[in-house]
Amino acid sequence: MAVDSPLSSQLGPPVCERDAKALHFIEETTSHADSVQDRVLTEILTRNSQTEYLTRFKLNGATDRETFKSKLPIITYEDLQPEIHRIANGDRSAILSAHPISEFLTSSGTSAGERKLMPTIKEELDRRRLLYSLLMPVMNLYVPGLERGKGLYFLFVKSETRTPGGLLARPVLTSYYKSDHFKTRPYDPYNVYTSPNEAILCPDSFQSMYAQMLCGLLQRQQVLRVGAVFASGLLRAIRFLQLNWPQLTQDIETGALNPKLTDPSLREYMEKILKPNPELAEYVRHECSKDNWEGIIARIWQNTKYLDVIVTGAMAQYIPTLDYYSGGLPLACTMYASSECYFGLNLNPMCKPSQVSYTIMPNMAYFEFLPHDPNSFGFPRDSPPKLVDLVDVEVGKEYELVITTYAGLYRYRVGDILRVTGFHNSAPQFHFVRRKNVLLSIDSDKTDEAELQKAVENASRLLREFNTSVVEYTSYADTRTIPGHYVIYWELLGKDSANSPTDEVLKQCCLAMEESLNSVYRQGRVADNSIGPLEIRVVKNGTFEELMDYAISRGASINQYKVPRCVNFTPIMELLDYRVVSSHFSPASPHWTPERR
């Protein structure tokens, strides 16, 4: 365990009294990480001691770590589903938490194709707001003058529904944006957005994006930072500008709002601020009408100091495209969070994306770490592994994150694989490596190998009447298009060359694959427009033998070689693309509805 010098001397002096308090809190909390963790676990176990879940494991009121670890199992979402279903169906007894479950936060999809339901309680909003309040005090240490301008952030609410028992089920950011914590947040000169609440909270994605882009253009000289939650979201905004700049410039030139904006509160707000501005319209028109969009963000919003987007994990695939459109502006990754829990923040937010490390804030939950062996296939129930406490992780090693939360998750495996890069005081800093078992991801979707296999099997049934089968397949997430899309390479074996599957049949295979993927993917395709149509590329016979030969030539064992189900190594992708004989896209959107089954 390493101990660093105080934050003020390490990062520089705070710019104001409010920042000084925030930085002092970070310093105090990380300096006493183990005692904070001890307090957090005691609070969670004390308040929830009479819950059905903790009573089942006979803690008998014990709050010490040794008893907790010896009696409570390490669990996954599937282990918790019976309790989740009871709460969702209306059981209001103290099943997981002594505090009432206020709503469910929807997370990535389960193997059954539905989003996970993460229980939460009202006070979790306070913890989230606390973490948000620390971001700008840290950023102000690196980028001066942010109080003199605004942030152009593309923020959206997504679909929500209610469980049979009447509880809301919605994404964590939708929950936050619709809360009073966000809607009635106090004025903060360091955290002013160009987008009004009316635009952020508009449920129609086109109207919301249009209004936010229009506001960003109208206030372009004041914009000092541009951002979205994920890198993919910011690129969708750029694509939206490419498609809609003629109408946007017309609105700016004439002062008359696009009639497609029909939301009453949004329209009322926009009509108040929209005045004829031919000079601005001509400037935007001049820049957007050029064939070359390299550096378009820096050209339109010339005072932008950095982009604020998540580019770690699966989002790293978007870095080259962001660099292209921004002219190489710095990329700031500020925080690490999920539906289950908010975890920590980046104390060096202007570092290179490949060097991003998040400092876990020990007050957010009780954290344990499962040593990660990439060759392991789980562990037997009768001999669970020994988990490592927050302050005892070792630099350079990888771990899977395990959390215990105030809202009723106990020793819950999040599925994130993290590598320890160092410590800030006694709190470890982690590089996000990847989501466990995830093969493909474009936006918030996560597709694993089993799900992809099932989708291929379902789609290949359409080939049976042509005496054709899928011999081998692999995939990759193509992010060169906006939005990105899944590409599946198929090598086919046909027994009747006179009766080969047609282009229309292979298009239907694409759609069948999409119908087999989880609800998060299908929502991205249908409602969010964050994922493009799936593509199947048919390759020549013998392609996958060539792929194996190439792998063996690079040192792979012929006895242990397995076809990779996802590829991103350029020479392999070039080999595959060179042997493509036909390409087919899904002809329609898959079925999706916000209602839970």
Side-chain angles (χ1 to χ4, degrees):
M1 182 174 70
V3 178
D4 290 337
S5 57
L7 186 69
S8 57
S9 62
Q10 185 177 347
L11 299 179
V15 301
C16 62
E17 184 178 349
R18 186 213 63 170
D19 282 11
K21 291 179 179 178
L23 297 179
H24 178 73
F25 175 81
I26 294 171
E27 191 63 13
E28 280 293 301
T29 306
T30 57
S31 293
H32 304 97
D34 198 48
S35 60
V36 172
Q37 281 282 276
D38 204 48
R39 173 180 58 78
V40 166
L41 182 62
T42 298
E43 288 176 356
I44 292 172
L45 297 181
T46 299
R47 70 153 65 172
N48 294 327
S49 62
Q50 299 305 309
T51 58
E52 180 184 314
Y53 188 84
L54 290 184
T55 302
R56 182 185 310 161
F57 296 104
K58 297 180 172 55
L59 277 179
N60 299 323
T63 62
D64 62 285
R65 298 189 203 193
E66 291 73 20
T67 306
F68 169 74
K69 292 187 176 193
S70 66
K71 290 182 176 287
L72 264 72
I74 303 158
I75 62 168
T76 64
Y77 183 78
E78 286 67 28
D79 297 318
L80 213 55
Q81 274 189 307
E83 287 79 10
I84 297 291
H85 286 159
R86 283 174 55 196
I87 299 169
N89 289 331
D91 191 332
R92 296 292 180 262
S93 55
I95 299 172
L96 297 173
S97 169
H99 288 214
I101 301 301
S102 56
E103 62 180 315
F104 285 108
L105 303 177
T106 54
S107 186
S108 55
T110 66
S111 57
E114 288 297 333
R115 284 183 178 270
K116 296 176 184 175
L117 294 177
M118 294 299 166
T120 191
I121 56 180
K122 284 186 177 179
E123 73 173 53
E124 280 300 309
L125 277 169
D126 296 325
R127 265 180 282 277
R128 287 178 228 149
R129 181 174 64 175
L130 171 60
L131 200 61
Y132 283 126
S133 74
L134 304 175
L135 301 181
M136 289 309 292
V138 172
M139 184 60 72
N140 289 337
L141 295 171
Y142 294 88
V143 184
L146 291 174
E147 80 282 7
R148 294 194 288 270
K150 298 183 178 182
L152 168 54
Y153 283 78
F154 296 97
L155 308 175
F156 305 92
V157 295
K158 293 194 175 184
S159 299
E160 59 184 43
T161 186
R162 287 192 181 273
T163 68
L167 286 176
L168 274 172
R170 55 190 179 181
V172 62
L173 289 175
T174 297
S175 170
Y176 178 68
Y177 297 149
K178 289 192 171 186
S179 72
D180 288 338
H181 286 71
F182 181 80
K183 291 191 289 187
T184 60
R185 62 196 183 278
Y187 172 76
D188 178 354
Y190 290 93
N191 223 341
V192 180
Y193 299 144
T194 57
S195 298
N197 288 356
E198 290 85 350
I200 295 170
L201 297 173
C202 177
D204 183 285
S205 60
F206 174 86
Q207 294 186 59
S208 176
M209 177 75 86
Y210 193 97
Q212 292 189 62
M213 183 63 76
L214 184 55
C215 287
L217 293 172
L218 294 173
Q219 302 170 75
R220 77 176 190 90
Q221 298 282 16
Q222 298 168 267
V223 171
L224 299 183
R225 51 203 171 104
V226 176
V229 178
F230 293 117
S232 55
L234 184 53
L235 290 175
R236 285 203 308 279
I238 298 304
R239 180 58 177 163
F240 186 91
L241 181 60
Q242 285 182 315
L243 295 173
N244 293 280
W245 67 260
Q247 181 63 54
L248 287 160
T249 53
Q250 182 179 323
D251 291 9
I252 296 169
E253 188 168 53
T254 63
L257 188 63
N258 186 339
K260 290 183 179 178
L261 269 66
T262 57
D263 183 278
S265 61
L266 179 56
R267 192 165 187 90
E268 180 183 357
Y269 177 89
M270 296 303 298
E271 287 177 339
K272 285 180 182 177
I273 67 166
L274 184 60
K275 310 296 179 189
N277 190 337
E279 183 180 348
L280 174 59
E282 180 52 34
Y283 182 85
V284 175
R285 185 180 293 116
H286 178 261
E287 292 299 330
C288 292
S289 60
K290 295 177 181 177
D291 290 335
N292 183 5
W293 269 52
E294 185 174 1
I296 191 69
I297 295 174
R299 280 156 41 193
I300 292 182
W301 295 283
Q302 294 173 328
N303 297 317
T304 303
K305 296 175 183 287
Y306 65 92
L307 304 185
D308 188 349
V309 285
I310 294 173
V311 290
T312 50
M315 290 296 122
Q317 60 195 337
Y318 294 103
I319 292 173
T321 313
L322 283 174
D323 286 342
Y324 175 83
Y325 285 119
S326 73
L329 283 169
L331 302 172
C333 295
T334 56
M335 68 182 291
Y336 171 36
S338 76
S339 304
E340 294 91 340
C341 178
Y342 279 30
F343 305 118
L345 64 161
N346 182 1
L347 295 181
N348 184 18
M350 299 303 283
C351 67
K352 294 179 180 179
S354 60
Q355 298 172 343
V356 169
S357 290
Y358 299 104
T359 302
I360 298 291
M361 292 301 291
N363 61 306
M364 301 304 293
Y366 180 67
F367 300 104
E368 297 176 272
F369 297 87
L370 174 63
H372 176 63
D373 177 1
N375 298 314
S376 171
F377 294 96
F379 51 85
R381 286 286 182 177
D382 56 351
S383 58
K386 181 176 175 57
L387 268 60
V388 179
D389 281 328
L390 180 69
V391 300
D392 294 328
V393 295
E394 297 181 43
V395 173
K397 291 191 175 180
E398 292 187 3
Y399 299 88
E400 182 182 350
L401 181 59
V402 178
I403 59 171
T404 296
T405 69
Y406 287 88
L409 298 177
Y410 305 95
R411 310 198 85 190
Y412 178 89
R413 298 175 68 174
V414 175
D416 290 357
I417 305 300
L418 310 175
R419 182 185 306 115
V420 187
T421 57
F423 283 79
H424 180 76
N425 296 319
S426 59
Q429 298 176 309
F430 292 92
H431 175 72
F432 181 94
V433 178
R434 59 182 172 83
R435 285 285 295 175
K436 190 175 183 182
N437 299 327
V438 171
L439 280 186
L440 294 168
S441 180
I442 294 291
D443 191 48
S444 56
D445 56 297
K446 299 175 182 71
T447 299
D448 63 22
E449 185 169 341
E451 190 173 11
L452 181 63
Q453 172 74 28
K454 176 186 170 187
V456 170
E457 288 173 356
N458 289 345
S460 64
R461 290 177 187 146
L462 300 177
L463 305 176
R464 289 176 181 172
E465 63 178 288
F466 301 93
N467 286 322
T468 299
S469 60
V470 178
V471 177
E472 277 295 359
Y473 69 91
T474 190
S475 65
Y476 88 100
D478 187 351
T479 56
R480 293 172 296 182
T481 59
I482 303 175
H485 70 290
Y486 288 8
V487 174
I488 317 298
Y489 294 95
W490 274 9
E491 183 175 326
L492 301 179
L493 175 63
K495 297 178 181 178
D496 183 0
S497 58
N499 187 31
S500 298
T502 63
D503 172 62
E504 184 57 39
V505 170
L506 289 165
K507 286 179 178 178
Q508 291 302 318
C509 289
C510 295
L511 182 57
M513 284 196 68
E514 293 195 300
E515 292 286 6
S516 301
L517 297 176
N518 64 52
S519 65
V520 184
Y521 173 91
R522 288 180 282 115
Q523 179 177 337
R525 279 279 284 120
V526 177
D528 303 337
N529 297 314
S530 60
I531 304 173
L534 182 143
E535 177 185 5
I536 290 176
R537 295 179 187 172
V538 179
V539 296
K540 295 177 183 176
N541 289 348
T543 294
F544 280 84
E545 285 187 24
E546 280 196 33
L547 197 62
M548 181 177 70
D549 292 341
Y550 178 78
I552 292 169
S553 74
R554 289 177 53 85
S557 165
I558 191 169
N559 295 319
Q560 295 179 315
Y561 175 79
K562 292 193 300 184
V563 174
R565 293 309 179 201
C566 183
V567 295
N568 53 25
F569 185 49
T570 300
I572 290 179
M573 293 164 64
E574 288 176 347
L575 185 156
L576 289 166
D577 282 333
Y578 180 73
R579 295 183 64 87
V580 169
V581 294
S582 62
S583 181
H584 315 270
F585 287 88
S586 184
S589 297
H591 174 75
W592 177 81
T593 172
E595 297 303 318
R596 297 188 64 80
R597 294 175 191 153

